[in-house]
Amino acid sequence: MPVNQDLVGREFDKTTPYLVGREKVREFSRAVFASSPINLSVEAARDAGYADVVAPPTFAIVVQQLTLDQLFASEDAGIELTHVVHGAQQFSYSRPIVAGDELTAQLAVTSIKTLGGNAMLTAETAIHDAAGEHVVTATSTLVVRGDA
């Protein structure tokens, strides 16, 4: 089944709030070799003016994945997960993510292009804090292989 072109413009439901945990930030920081003290030490983060440890920029993918799971679970999407390759990723921040943030995300499919039997789907996930303020928009381009 080809990727459903009607997905363009579709907005998925907002996720339930994701509470950013201090230890999750530290684990993620170590996993991506983020070595800044503000990623690991509350004291260093507070000395730098942050409320708590600061997540590395790519941490937003943890929250975005919750929305991508909605897309993959959509029965009419025409996306077979075993045929998906992550083509590109961008983050556009209004402010850093810090431990203690309660984040909600919403995905919108912004484009689908068909190239040689494959589809390139671009999805934007807007992530907001508990006050409704924008934190980051994560944009993913997924390559969905057509049937061989």
Side-chain angles (χ1 to χ4, degrees):
M1 173 166 58
V3 174
N4 181 355
Q5 297 290 321
D6 291 339
L7 289 171
V8 176
R10 184 184 298 179
E11 292 185 354
F12 288 77
D13 292 338
K14 290 181 181 175
T15 61
T16 57
Y18 177 91
L19 178 60
V20 178
R22 187 179 290 159
E23 290 309 314
K24 287 292 183 188
V25 170
R26 288 176 174 144
E27 289 171 2
F28 190 90
S29 297
R30 287 189 288 272
V32 299
F33 303 105
S35 59
S36 172
I38 65 171
N39 300 130
L40 303 168
S41 164
V42 175
E43 182 176 289
R46 289 186 177 152
D47 287 348
Y50 299 101
D52 211 307
V53 292
V54 179
T58 54
F59 185 86
I61 195 69
V62 172
V63 181
Q64 184 189 31
Q65 186 59 47
L66 301 172
T67 64
L68 291 172
D69 289 345
Q70 292 174 320
L71 173 64
F72 298 144
S74 179
E75 291 182 13
D76 70 339
I79 298 173
E80 175 65 43
L81 190 55
T82 59
H83 291 190
V84 175
V85 176
H86 207 141
Q89 183 70 48
Q90 294 179 314
F91 301 100
S92 177
Y93 274 88
S94 294
R95 68 164 178 84
I97 295 172
V98 297
D101 275 339
E102 194 170 286
L103 303 174
T104 304
Q106 185 172 30
L107 179 136
V109 176
T110 57
S111 74
I112 300 174
K113 297 177 183 170
T114 303
L115 301 168
N118 302 315
M120 295 181 62
L121 182 148
T122 301
E124 290 185 359
T125 299
I127 300 173
H128 293 83
D129 63 19
E133 299 294 321
H134 178 265
V135 176
V136 57
T137 297
T139 304
S140 293
T141 300
L142 307 173
V143 179
V144 184
R145 276 189 354 248
D147 290 334

